Amino acid sequence: MKYKELIAEMTLEEKASLMSGKDFWQTQDIERLGINSIFLADGPHGIRKQAVAADKLGLNAGRPATCYPTAATVANSWNTELGEKVGEYLGEEAIAQKVNVLLGPGVNMKRNPLCGRNFEYFSEDPYLAGKMAASYIRGIQSYGVAACVKHFAANNQEERRMSIDTIVDERTLREIYLTAFEIAVKEGKTKSIMSSYNRLNGTYTNENQHLMNEILRGEWGYKGVVITDWGGTNDRLAGLLAGNELEMPTTGGETDQEIVEAIKSGRINEEVLDECVDRLLDLIFTTEKPFRRPHVEFDVERHHRVSQKVAEESIVLLKNEGNILPLKFGKKVAVIGDFAKDARYQGAGSSIVNPTILDHTMDCFEESGIVSIGFEPGFERYGKKNQKKIDEACELAKKADVILLYLGLDEATEAEGLDRHSMKIPENQIELLDALHEVNQNIIVILSCGSAVEMPWISKVRGLLHGYLGGQAGARAILRVMSGDVNPSGKLAETYPLRYEDSPSFHHFPGNEASVEYREGLFIGYRYYDTADVNVLFPFGYGLSYTTFEYSDLQINKNSVSFRVTNTGDTAGMEIVQLYIGCHSKDIFRPKKELKGFEKIFINAGESKMVTIPFDEKTFRYFNVQTNQWEIEAAEYSIMIGSSSADIRLLGTLYKEGTGAPIPYEKEKLPTYYTGKTNKISEEEFETLLGRKVPVSTWDRSKPLGYNDIIAQCQYAKGGLARIGYYLIVFAHWYLRKVGRRDAANLIMMSIYHLPFRGIARMTGGVVNMPMVDGILMIANGHFFKGFSHFLRERRKLLKSRNPKSEVVG
Ligand code: BGC
């Protein structure tokens, strides 16, 4: 232990006190020993620091900070140097705002296009997500601040996120859902990691010994701190045993006391606590160092410009019929669409940044050199059809050479706490597009949203530029691509299926009441579409440029692959080259191809460059469930160099010696997995893969409600009051949506509807404790008077314990 002597000076109570927050954002301090509080703030694409006293629930707006493009956007750049730059700028702002731990990046996989937080995550591919995350972390931590990689692990939906049990087989867990975290830990050297809210194969992740001790600390050698997601603690002692150092936010000391009692009674060895304290002290002492230097404000303008550069490199050109882009000089453009007036630039929830500056398209036109003849909103952002607006837009469109049509999803649709209901963009936007197409066919759509959408309307547009969520300078960045000042170089970090129904997890998302079964196994994203031969709208890794590239001269060596890329157009540009590997042996099922390397290169027109991509320890590995470790299968492998996952330009083979492990599966028992067509897997076959029975996936309505049941379950509570409460919540949600307050309606779903009963104690900063929750549960379970008096008695006790001299009334 690094701080053995200091820990020896601490009382048991002092040590335990460090194990949970002091308030919503800070850790506990111990003045007499010179241990200060440190500040944790969201993340991930900007600093959201609230003034400490702002509010108890952490919901108020933060102080102004640069809103960089979100992770889903920056992932499209496939540029780890750029990721590191974003990290550095975040780190600098964290220092300026006195933030010690930045709660990001988020590296959860995009298992399904509807996950409400996809805009905050990088990719459907663990290698790309991991590499991008590691680059962010390096950048952030170069300033002495700690990154906090989240949400560990298998948290791939928002629906019932605090109670859902993710059922996933070990190989899929390792190869798909943990690899990005592994890279963030081993290569990024993250100093902290946030456990997720959900259960993983029956146990809350924060208490999951297999995840936390065997894999994270054991196999990956992680030495940093594990922080709970806010209010995510279930059993504090089980968490401590799994090595969870910091519970957030404060519980008013309630869970610290549990730790003290468990140690006094011998249930937990004090050394377990000491180890946790030691690691937490290291985080505190190392991240407070940068603050010993004089305070420096960050340069708002410079950071804004950097955020623009990042957006420019992340924009994806998806369609460019007849080279309609870049816009030819002197063309008269009509700007249509509400998003051109009010930029859509980030998602909703805990990641929301209060931007220092905000560019809107209509304010940036002059400097872009593009000649606009006017603007019409064309549709109502929140969904209603408005014929007058359509007519006005058509009138303007008739006078223009080209229409720039700004479409997308609104702020309340992509939000933490709830998933989207469909992959469609609002119908009123499509109606507008149809009407415009009648009067002028030169339409370029500019899309603003942070996740994949369906585009049944794509044949009606000649150009399509996807800006994703470009942060506070995203609008200007898009104009620079359209004017030709910037040659687009982004490529999709996720697949765009033709229809939502095509996605591999369609039948198992968001799962049933109690659990979600990842029956599709390894086959998420392109791993599925490609292997199962399902047509897609845009494949993973796809994106156009204003120039063209040719690939040649493939050389495959033992440890790397080299090839030449030539810019055959007349504009300088950047190309993202992708290395995919496929195994020829059919003994162990695998995706047809998997990304194992990439690089982004800049090439001048007419020039060429040699590129070498080294193989690494992940290139040929697979996780063998029989030996319980990574193995290599002796086989011939395809070495594919692609411009996208569907556009392989160079192909060769390499024989690789194996590690000699036994084949872990009985092929005939997993026939569908061997075909890769895993969108409809029977329960029996999934159980064979899992190696056990799947748990009951529905709520047990016969049992009384308990700590881990969620407020939504009050609909069948024995207590009438709880049932009324449930319908009031449902009504409030419906009413708020009806009156256009979708943000407030979302908040109800996120912070009340899906909250487990224990969350009432975990999220109220010590105002309500667990014995009081017992009273609430008694009421919910039909014992009103008993529960009510229990609640009051416990409340009195709590207040008295805090202020023994006062008389408590109530
Ligand atoms: C989110 C985390 C976030 C935390 C603090 C949670 O609800 O899941 O991503 O960092 O709140 O705001």
Side-chain angles (χ1 to χ4, degrees), residues 24-25 42 48 103 117 120 150-151 161 194 197 229-230 350 416 750:
F24 208 83
W25 300 115
D42 284 305
R48 184 175 71 104
L103 303 173
R117 282 185 102 168
E120 271 187 76
K150 60 192 188 182
H151 309 86
R161 64 176 176 166
M194 186 188 290
Y197 284 132
D229 198 346
W230 267 232
S350 63
E416 174 180 340
M750 175 175 137

PDB file of all heavy atoms in Angstrom, residues 24-25 42 48 103 117 120 150-151 161 194 197 229-230 350 416 750, ligand 1:
ATOM      1  N   PHE A  24     -23.282  15.842  -3.730  1.00  0.00           N
ATOM      2  CA  PHE A  24     -23.586  15.234  -5.026  1.00  0.00           C
ATOM      3  C   PHE A  24     -22.354  15.027  -5.907  1.00  0.00           C
ATOM      4  O   PHE A  24     -22.294  14.108  -6.707  1.00  0.00           O
ATOM      5  CB  PHE A  24     -24.626  16.096  -5.771  1.00  0.00           C
ATOM      6  CG  PHE A  24     -25.466  15.282  -6.706  1.00  0.00           C
ATOM      7  CD1 PHE A  24     -26.571  14.583  -6.244  1.00  0.00           C
ATOM      8  CD2 PHE A  24     -25.141  15.174  -8.047  1.00  0.00           C
ATOM      9  CE1 PHE A  24     -27.334  13.803  -7.092  1.00  0.00           C
ATOM     10  CE2 PHE A  24     -25.904  14.398  -8.919  1.00  0.00           C
ATOM     11  CZ  PHE A  24     -27.007  13.709  -8.432  1.00  0.00           C
ATOM     12  N   TRP A  25     -21.367  15.898  -5.744  1.00  0.00           N
ATOM     13  CA  TRP A  25     -20.215  15.857  -6.667  1.00  0.00           C
ATOM     14  C   TRP A  25     -18.852  15.696  -6.011  1.00  0.00           C
ATOM     15  O   TRP A  25     -17.865  15.496  -6.721  1.00  0.00           O
ATOM     16  CB  TRP A  25     -20.173  17.141  -7.509  1.00  0.00           C
ATOM     17  CG  TRP A  25     -21.389  17.367  -8.351  1.00  0.00           C
ATOM     18  CD1 TRP A  25     -22.286  18.382  -8.230  1.00  0.00           C
ATOM     19  CD2 TRP A  25     -21.854  16.568  -9.457  1.00  0.00           C
ATOM     20  NE1 TRP A  25     -23.271  18.268  -9.173  1.00  0.00           N
ATOM     21  CE2 TRP A  25     -23.031  17.168  -9.943  1.00  0.00           C
ATOM     22  CE3 TRP A  25     -21.386  15.408 -10.068  1.00  0.00           C
ATOM     23  CZ2 TRP A  25     -23.754  16.643 -11.021  1.00  0.00           C
ATOM     24  CZ3 TRP A  25     -22.101  14.885 -11.139  1.00  0.00           C
ATOM     25  CH2 TRP A  25     -23.272  15.509 -11.602  1.00  0.00           C
ATOM     26  N   ASP A  42     -19.516  15.729 -14.796  1.00  0.00           N
ATOM     27  CA  ASP A  42     -19.743  15.199 -16.144  1.00  0.00           C
ATOM     28  C   ASP A  42     -19.026  16.116 -17.106  1.00  0.00           C
ATOM     29  O   ASP A  42     -18.833  17.292 -16.846  1.00  0.00           O
ATOM     30  CB  ASP A  42     -21.250  15.199 -16.440  1.00  0.00           C
ATOM     31  CG  ASP A  42     -21.924  14.047 -15.712  1.00  0.00           C
ATOM     32  OD1 ASP A  42     -21.502  12.906 -15.900  1.00  0.00           O
ATOM     33  OD2 ASP A  42     -22.866  14.308 -14.948  1.00  0.00           O
ATOM     34  N   ARG A  48     -19.443  19.732 -17.214  1.00  0.00           N
ATOM     35  CA  ARG A  48     -20.711  20.205 -16.649  1.00  0.00           C
ATOM     36  C   ARG A  48     -20.504  20.359 -15.150  1.00  0.00           C
ATOM     37  O   ARG A  48     -20.820  19.475 -14.376  1.00  0.00           O
ATOM     38  CB  ARG A  48     -21.844  19.227 -16.927  1.00  0.00           C
ATOM     39  CG  ARG A  48     -23.194  19.733 -16.441  1.00  0.00           C
ATOM     40  CD  ARG A  48     -24.310  18.809 -16.824  1.00  0.00           C
ATOM     41  NE  ARG A  48     -24.305  17.582 -16.087  1.00  0.00           N
ATOM     42  CZ  ARG A  48     -25.141  17.300 -15.077  1.00  0.00           C
ATOM     43  NH1 ARG A  48     -26.044  18.169 -14.707  1.00  0.00           N
ATOM     44  NH2 ARG A  48     -25.056  16.141 -14.457  1.00  0.00           N
ATOM     45  N   LEU A 103     -16.104  12.730 -15.688  1.00  0.00           N
ATOM     46  CA  LEU A 103     -16.889  11.499 -15.806  1.00  0.00           C
ATOM     47  C   LEU A 103     -17.098  11.107 -17.275  1.00  0.00           C
ATOM     48  O   LEU A 103     -18.151  11.318 -17.855  1.00  0.00           O
ATOM     49  CB  LEU A 103     -18.218  11.663 -15.069  1.00  0.00           C
ATOM     50  CG  LEU A 103     -18.043  12.031 -13.592  1.00  0.00           C
ATOM     51  CD1 LEU A 103     -19.384  12.341 -12.942  1.00  0.00           C
ATOM     52  CD2 LEU A 103     -17.329  10.925 -12.836  1.00  0.00           C
ATOM     53  N   ARG A 117     -28.726   6.601 -25.261  1.00  0.00           N
ATOM     54  CA  ARG A 117     -27.437   7.259 -25.033  1.00  0.00           C
ATOM     55  C   ARG A 117     -26.421   6.958 -26.124  1.00  0.00           C
ATOM     56  O   ARG A 117     -25.235   7.220 -25.942  1.00  0.00           O
ATOM     57  CB  ARG A 117     -26.863   6.838 -23.678  1.00  0.00           C
ATOM     58  CG  ARG A 117     -27.514   7.543 -22.531  1.00  0.00           C
ATOM     59  CD  ARG A 117     -26.855   7.204 -21.215  1.00  0.00           C
ATOM     60  NE  ARG A 117     -25.976   8.260 -20.761  1.00  0.00           N
ATOM     61  CZ  ARG A 117     -25.467   8.316 -19.529  1.00  0.00           C
ATOM     62  NH1 ARG A 117     -25.733   7.376 -18.660  1.00  0.00           N
ATOM     63  NH2 ARG A 117     -24.689   9.320 -19.172  1.00  0.00           N
ATOM     64  N   GLU A 120     -23.739   9.370 -26.915  1.00  0.00           N
ATOM     65  CA  GLU A 120     -22.627   9.547 -25.975  1.00  0.00           C
ATOM     66  C   GLU A 120     -21.555   8.482 -26.142  1.00  0.00           C
ATOM     67  O   GLU A 120     -20.528   8.537 -25.493  1.00  0.00           O
ATOM     68  CB  GLU A 120     -23.142   9.434 -24.538  1.00  0.00           C
ATOM     69  CG  GLU A 120     -23.612  10.716 -23.936  1.00  0.00           C
ATOM     70  CD  GLU A 120     -23.939  10.527 -22.464  1.00  0.00           C
ATOM     71  OE1 GLU A 120     -23.017  10.445 -21.649  1.00  0.00           O
ATOM     72  OE2 GLU A 120     -25.131  10.452 -22.130  1.00  0.00           O
ATOM     73  N   LYS A 150     -16.860   4.963 -18.469  1.00  0.00           N
ATOM     74  CA  LYS A 150     -18.150   4.464 -18.011  1.00  0.00           C
ATOM     75  C   LYS A 150     -18.894   3.808 -19.162  1.00  0.00           C
ATOM     76  O   LYS A 150     -18.513   3.987 -20.306  1.00  0.00           O
ATOM     77  CB  LYS A 150     -18.965   5.602 -17.419  1.00  0.00           C
ATOM     78  CG  LYS A 150     -19.268   6.766 -18.398  1.00  0.00           C
ATOM     79  CD  LYS A 150     -19.806   7.952 -17.639  1.00  0.00           C
ATOM     80  CE  LYS A 150     -20.296   9.032 -18.574  1.00  0.00           C
ATOM     81  NZ  LYS A 150     -20.784  10.220 -17.860  1.00  0.00           N
ATOM     82  N   HIS A 151     -19.906   3.028 -18.943  1.00  0.00           N
ATOM     83  CA  HIS A 151     -20.477   2.519 -17.702  1.00  0.00           C
ATOM     84  C   HIS A 151     -20.197   1.041 -17.710  1.00  0.00           C
ATOM     85  O   HIS A 151     -20.716   0.326 -18.574  1.00  0.00           O
ATOM     86  CB  HIS A 151     -21.974   2.778 -17.648  1.00  0.00           C
ATOM     87  CG  HIS A 151     -22.321   4.223 -17.943  1.00  0.00           C
ATOM     88  ND1 HIS A 151     -22.502   4.718 -19.207  1.00  0.00           N
ATOM     89  CD2 HIS A 151     -22.486   5.289 -17.108  1.00  0.00           C
ATOM     90  CE1 HIS A 151     -22.782   6.012 -19.154  1.00  0.00           C
ATOM     91  NE2 HIS A 151     -22.777   6.396 -17.897  1.00  0.00           N
ATOM     92  N   ARG A 161     -32.780   0.803 -16.768  1.00  0.00           N
ATOM     93  CA  ARG A 161     -31.324   0.650 -16.666  1.00  0.00           C
ATOM     94  C   ARG A 161     -30.847   0.356 -15.241  1.00  0.00           C
ATOM     95  O   ARG A 161     -29.774  -0.190 -15.050  1.00  0.00           O
ATOM     96  CB  ARG A 161     -30.619   1.908 -17.182  1.00  0.00           C
ATOM     97  CG  ARG A 161     -30.911   3.157 -16.373  1.00  0.00           C
ATOM     98  CD  ARG A 161     -30.088   4.331 -16.884  1.00  0.00           C
ATOM     99  NE  ARG A 161     -30.445   5.554 -16.161  1.00  0.00           N
ATOM    100  CZ  ARG A 161     -29.749   6.655 -16.177  1.00  0.00           C
ATOM    101  NH1 ARG A 161     -28.635   6.716 -16.864  1.00  0.00           N
ATOM    102  NH2 ARG A 161     -30.132   7.726 -15.515  1.00  0.00           N
ATOM    103  N   MET A 194     -16.329   3.857 -13.939  1.00  0.00           N
ATOM    104  CA  MET A 194     -17.644   3.943 -13.290  1.00  0.00           C
ATOM    105  C   MET A 194     -18.411   2.648 -13.522  1.00  0.00           C
ATOM    106  O   MET A 194     -18.576   2.216 -14.667  1.00  0.00           O
ATOM    107  CB  MET A 194     -18.440   5.112 -13.884  1.00  0.00           C
ATOM    108  CG  MET A 194     -19.768   5.368 -13.186  1.00  0.00           C
ATOM    109  SD  MET A 194     -20.774   6.606 -14.080  1.00  0.00           S
ATOM    110  CE  MET A 194     -19.865   8.091 -13.791  1.00  0.00           C
ATOM    111  N   TYR A 197     -25.315   0.748 -13.790  1.00  0.00           N
ATOM    112  CA  TYR A 197     -26.475   0.549 -12.917  1.00  0.00           C
ATOM    113  C   TYR A 197     -27.007  -0.890 -12.941  1.00  0.00           C
ATOM    114  O   TYR A 197     -27.606  -1.352 -11.992  1.00  0.00           O
ATOM    115  CB  TYR A 197     -27.619   1.432 -13.405  1.00  0.00           C
ATOM    116  CG  TYR A 197     -27.515   2.905 -13.077  1.00  0.00           C
ATOM    117  CD1 TYR A 197     -27.734   3.868 -14.058  1.00  0.00           C
ATOM    118  CD2 TYR A 197     -27.269   3.340 -11.785  1.00  0.00           C
ATOM    119  CE1 TYR A 197     -27.690   5.230 -13.773  1.00  0.00           C
ATOM    120  CE2 TYR A 197     -27.216   4.698 -11.480  1.00  0.00           C
ATOM    121  CZ  TYR A 197     -27.432   5.633 -12.477  1.00  0.00           C
ATOM    122  OH  TYR A 197     -27.393   6.971 -12.181  1.00  0.00           O
ATOM    123  N   ASP A 229     -22.049   4.390 -10.479  1.00  0.00           N
ATOM    124  CA  ASP A 229     -22.865   5.390 -11.172  1.00  0.00           C
ATOM    125  C   ASP A 229     -23.784   5.992 -10.102  1.00  0.00           C
ATOM    126  O   ASP A 229     -24.080   5.359  -9.088  1.00  0.00           O
ATOM    127  CB  ASP A 229     -23.665   4.774 -12.320  1.00  0.00           C
ATOM    128  CG  ASP A 229     -24.150   5.875 -13.286  1.00  0.00           C
ATOM    129  OD1 ASP A 229     -24.091   7.067 -12.909  1.00  0.00           O
ATOM    130  OD2 ASP A 229     -24.588   5.553 -14.406  1.00  0.00           O
ATOM    131  N   TRP A 230     -24.220   7.195 -10.364  1.00  0.00           N
ATOM    132  CA  TRP A 230     -24.912   7.974  -9.331  1.00  0.00           C
ATOM    133  C   TRP A 230     -26.183   7.270  -8.817  1.00  0.00           C
ATOM    134  O   TRP A 230     -27.124   7.046  -9.578  1.00  0.00           O
ATOM    135  CB  TRP A 230     -25.227   9.363  -9.871  1.00  0.00           C
ATOM    136  CG  TRP A 230     -24.165  10.380  -9.538  1.00  0.00           C
ATOM    137  CD1 TRP A 230     -24.365  11.595  -8.939  1.00  0.00           C
ATOM    138  CD2 TRP A 230     -22.747  10.286  -9.748  1.00  0.00           C
ATOM    139  NE1 TRP A 230     -23.156  12.242  -8.764  1.00  0.00           N
ATOM    140  CE2 TRP A 230     -22.155  11.464  -9.247  1.00  0.00           C
ATOM    141  CE3 TRP A 230     -21.906   9.307 -10.274  1.00  0.00           C
ATOM    142  CZ2 TRP A 230     -20.783  11.704  -9.276  1.00  0.00           C
ATOM    143  CZ3 TRP A 230     -20.524   9.543 -10.305  1.00  0.00           C
ATOM    144  CH2 TRP A 230     -19.988  10.723  -9.816  1.00  0.00           C
ATOM    145  N   SER A 350     -27.342  13.786 -18.368  1.00  0.00           N
ATOM    146  CA  SER A 350     -26.249  14.247 -17.504  1.00  0.00           C
ATOM    147  C   SER A 350     -25.082  14.828 -18.293  1.00  0.00           C
ATOM    148  O   SER A 350     -24.229  15.497 -17.739  1.00  0.00           O
ATOM    149  CB  SER A 350     -25.755  13.099 -16.633  1.00  0.00           C
ATOM    150  OG  SER A 350     -25.215  12.078 -17.456  1.00  0.00           O
ATOM    151  N   GLU A 416     -30.624  10.599 -22.242  1.00  0.00           N
ATOM    152  CA  GLU A 416     -30.317   9.623 -21.204  1.00  0.00           C
ATOM    153  C   GLU A 416     -31.608   9.261 -20.480  1.00  0.00           C
ATOM    154  O   GLU A 416     -32.501  10.095 -20.336  1.00  0.00           O
ATOM    155  CB  GLU A 416     -29.343  10.273 -20.213  1.00  0.00           C
ATOM    156  CG  GLU A 416     -29.050   9.418 -19.016  1.00  0.00           C
ATOM    157  CD  GLU A 416     -28.078  10.085 -18.055  1.00  0.00           C
ATOM    158  OE1 GLU A 416     -27.357  11.005 -18.473  1.00  0.00           O
ATOM    159  OE2 GLU A 416     -28.061   9.674 -16.891  1.00  0.00           O
ATOM    160  N   MET A 750     -36.802   9.090 -16.371  1.00  0.00           N
ATOM    161  CA  MET A 750     -35.421   8.807 -15.995  1.00  0.00           C
ATOM    162  C   MET A 750     -35.253   8.745 -14.485  1.00  0.00           C
ATOM    163  O   MET A 750     -34.624   7.836 -13.959  1.00  0.00           O
ATOM    164  CB  MET A 750     -34.535   9.921 -16.570  1.00  0.00           C
ATOM    165  CG  MET A 750     -33.099   9.853 -16.185  1.00  0.00           C
ATOM    166  SD  MET A 750     -32.219  11.148 -17.075  1.00  0.00           S
ATOM    167  CE  MET A 750     -31.178  11.784 -15.791  1.00  0.00           C
TER     168      MET A 750
HETATM  169  C1  BGC B   1     -25.181   8.842 -15.490  1.00  0.00           C
HETATM  170  C2  BGC B   1     -23.673   9.021 -15.522  1.00  0.00           C
HETATM  171  C3  BGC B   1     -23.314  10.379 -14.981  1.00  0.00           C
HETATM  172  C4  BGC B   1     -23.867  10.507 -13.574  1.00  0.00           C
HETATM  173  C5  BGC B   1     -23.562  11.840 -12.902  1.00  0.00           C
HETATM  174  C6  BGC B   1     -25.756   9.138 -14.113  1.00  0.00           C
HETATM  175  O1  BGC B   1     -27.134   9.145 -14.148  1.00  0.00           O
HETATM  176  O2  BGC B   1     -25.516   7.536 -15.875  1.00  0.00           O
HETATM  177  O3  BGC B   1     -23.207   8.877 -16.825  1.00  0.00           O
HETATM  178  O4  BGC B   1     -21.936  10.560 -15.000  1.00  0.00           O
HETATM  179  O5  BGC B   1     -25.285  10.356 -13.623  1.00  0.00           O
HETATM  180  O6  BGC B   1     -24.291  12.858 -13.500  1.00  0.00           O
END
